Amino acid sequence: MLLRAFPDGLEGLDAAVVRELRLAYAEWLDNAAGRRPDPAIHRAWIAYVLHTVLAWPADLLAEGPALPSALAVPVAEHGETLRTDGALLDPETHAPRLLLQRLPAGQDPDKPPAGARWKASPVSRMIDLLRGTDVPLGLVTNGEQWVLVHAPRGETSGAATWYAALWGEEPLTLQAFRSLLTAGRFFAVAAADTLAALWQESAANQQEVTDQLGLQVRRAVEVLVQRLDAVDKDRQRTLLAGVSEPRLYEAALTIMMRLVFLFSAEERGMLLLGDALYDAYYAVSTLRAQLREAADQYGEEVLERRRDAWSRLLGTFRLVYGGATHDRMHLPAYGGRLFDPDAFPFLEGRAAGTHWATSEAQPLPIDNRTVLHLLEALQILQVKVPGGPPEPRRLSFRALDIEQIGHVYEGLLDHTAVRAAAPVLGLIGGKDREPEVALAELERLHAGGDTGLLKYLEEMTGRSVGTLRKGLAAEIELQDLAGFRAACDNDAALLERVRPFAPGWCGATALAPRWWSHRAACL
């Protein structure tokens, strides 16, 4: 959304304004730190930022008696009335575009005012004021922190904070602050490019983020099911004996939802992230970085020979479920069905009916490369970029609300696992199309000529015939199928069968195997 609105980058800064800003900030800071701060200097500093840095016209910033009477919201249960200190008005309609709240220099925007009966922070009060007045944007500042609040009625609220102390050290933050909040962003751009419209567009794009996360989690579940099936095969099919395919899928799904919960809880400060011991040996937020560093240094193939990450995950799951009381770590026992180690004892290499606290576990040999891919499916989002390949970006779980996490979970419940009796090829289709087709069926259609095969693939994938024809015409050598070799146990004959349907990794290809094997579970 920002790339669209700022195709040439953020707006530049006038060097003279930057120098003057530093002097004004230093004067304000000296005053705020003094024994008897002058309220006039505090007010002058805020006015300087609004009118000089952001170029807000003085006649459009309504204050005091000039404020519309509708910009007040009574809160009967707390005996208070929420009011704004100022409002940036539309030059034509005089409707408020943004509400302003000035705080004393020492008041934290995220903490309740001292002595207040209603224990709500200024930011929370601004959210209620915005929703009560149907003004989507607000700005809360104590001179140091400048908090932009977005809270449209009936929708999730959000906030972004800038720190004046950083403007001199990191001019890019000042550039961003000015680019988003300058008067021109409200009045001198197309309606779709105003600040409120950009934020609304960002909220709409969040659904795409949720959908992409759901797709990545589903594919990670596939990878985990594959690996569990491979371990079961190595153990002569004793590991999953008596475990139905739906239960196997439920176990893999549970692992992924545990990770989603942990990422969310750690980023929200609900667990022990930041504690040296927890970060080094338990945190999932740091585990991906540790595995990625090892992969970049030694190669991902080395991770295939290491298996400590899976045991670490199991230990973290037990820690959340059973808690810990130790002189170096204390965490209450949260319990709950999601983290119950006895829900799927085979994940710990234990027999059914055993208890996690009394029976020895033999963690499955899930390699570190698999764990890395599970974590990256959650933390690294492949964002679609117009005219280019997907761009990897780190996902902040603090930005996901409970409804979005629920949406991901519900999407996963729409699937299950079945055991393939013969090789199955996963086709890359359009949105919401991920067909799996028996390789023998594709071969049968191919033998009858391209026309019937292309028509079938068009129906299954939603791709155009031209794209499909180009993909089928691509010449692929066996050495280019390295990504599929492990999936079929280095079966050269099987690789040769797949080659006609596996165009290269580059470009807009129509077909590509996701994963398959003679006895692999497949979604």
Side-chain angles (χ1 to χ4, degrees), residues 3-22:
L3 290 174
R4 180 192 64 74
F6 298 95
D8 300 322
L10 298 173
E11 298 174 8
L13 298 171
D14 184 273
V17 171
V18 173
R19 287 194 298 270
E20 190 177 76
L21 176 68
R22 289 175 179 169

Side-chain angles (χ1 to χ4, degrees), residues 213-445:
L213 177 61
L215 175 62
Q216 291 184 194
V217 172
R218 190 160 69 247
R219 290 179 176 172
V221 170
E222 293 182 11
V223 170
L224 185 53
V225 168
Q226 281 185 80
R227 189 66 197 124
L228 292 173
D229 182 75
V231 174
D232 186 42
K233 180 181 178 181
D234 292 341
R235 296 188 177 184
Q236 289 73 50
R237 301 295 176 187
T238 58
L239 173 66
L240 301 180
V243 178
S244 65
E245 290 135 336
R247 182 162 174 76
L248 175 63
Y249 177 78
E250 184 184 358
L253 169 58
T254 298
I255 292 294
M256 297 308 297
M257 293 313 299
R258 286 176 180 177
L259 294 176
V260 168
F261 175 89
L262 290 173
F263 278 127
S264 300
E266 286 180 355
E267 290 195 26
R268 287 172 167 82
M270 298 168 64
L271 293 175
L272 301 177
L273 190 64
D275 176 86
L277 184 64
Y278 182 83
D279 288 357
Y281 302 107
Y282 295 96
V284 296
S285 298
T286 59
L287 178 57
R288 185 198 66 83
Q290 294 166 359
L291 293 176
R292 174 46 60 192
E293 181 180 359
D296 292 343
Q297 185 172 359
Y298 304 112
E300 288 196 11
E301 295 75 14
V302 173
L303 297 187
E304 292 180 354
R305 298 193 290 272
R306 298 177 179 175
R307 298 178 174 83
D308 56 295
W310 179 256
S311 297
R312 169 169 164 170
L313 289 182
L314 295 177
T316 302
F317 299 158
R318 286 188 172 203
L319 177 67
V320 173
Y321 183 80
T325 301
H326 190 271
D327 58 352
R328 294 185 60 192
M329 178 182 292
H330 176 76
L331 190 74
Y334 289 103
R337 181 177 180 276
L338 179 62
F339 284 89
D340 185 357
D342 291 335
F344 304 100
F346 63 86
L347 294 175
E348 296 189 346
R350 293 186 289 110
T354 59
H355 189 261
W356 69 277
T358 57
S359 300
E360 184 178 359
Q362 298 291 334
L364 302 183
I366 305 295
D367 60 83
N368 286 8
R369 187 178 190 178
T370 298
V371 174
L372 173 61
H373 289 177
L374 298 182
L375 297 175
E376 289 195 335
L378 293 174
Q379 278 195 303
I380 306 299
L381 206 65
Q382 298 298 325
V383 179
K384 296 178 182 178
V385 178
E391 185 176 288
R393 296 179 188 169
R394 192 179 187 281
L395 176 66
S396 170
F397 279 81
R398 291 191 65 180
L400 293 179
D401 56 35
I402 191 65
E403 290 82 6
Q404 291 171 305
I405 294 175
H407 177 76
V408 171
Y409 182 63
E410 289 173 2
L412 293 169
L413 293 178
D414 291 338
H415 296 73
T416 188
V418 296
R419 190 170 293 281
V424 174
L425 202 62
L427 309 182
I428 296 178
K431 185 176 181 181
D432 298 327
R433 294 199 185 192
E434 299 179 70
E436 286 86 19
V437 182
L439 181 58
E441 176 65 10
L442 292 176
E443 291 175 321
R444 184 188 68 79
L445 291 167

Side-chain angles (χ1 to χ4, degrees), residues 27-70:
E27 182 181 356
W28 171 82
L29 192 61
D30 287 343
N31 176 72
R35 296 181 61 182
R36 301 180 66 181
D38 185 349
I41 294 179
H42 179 63
R43 191 176 183 87
W45 159 246
I46 294 176
Y48 173 80
V49 173
L50 297 178
H51 298 304
T52 303
V53 178
L54 300 182
W56 288 10
D59 60 331
L60 295 182
L61 182 59
E63 300 180 82
L67 283 169
S69 58

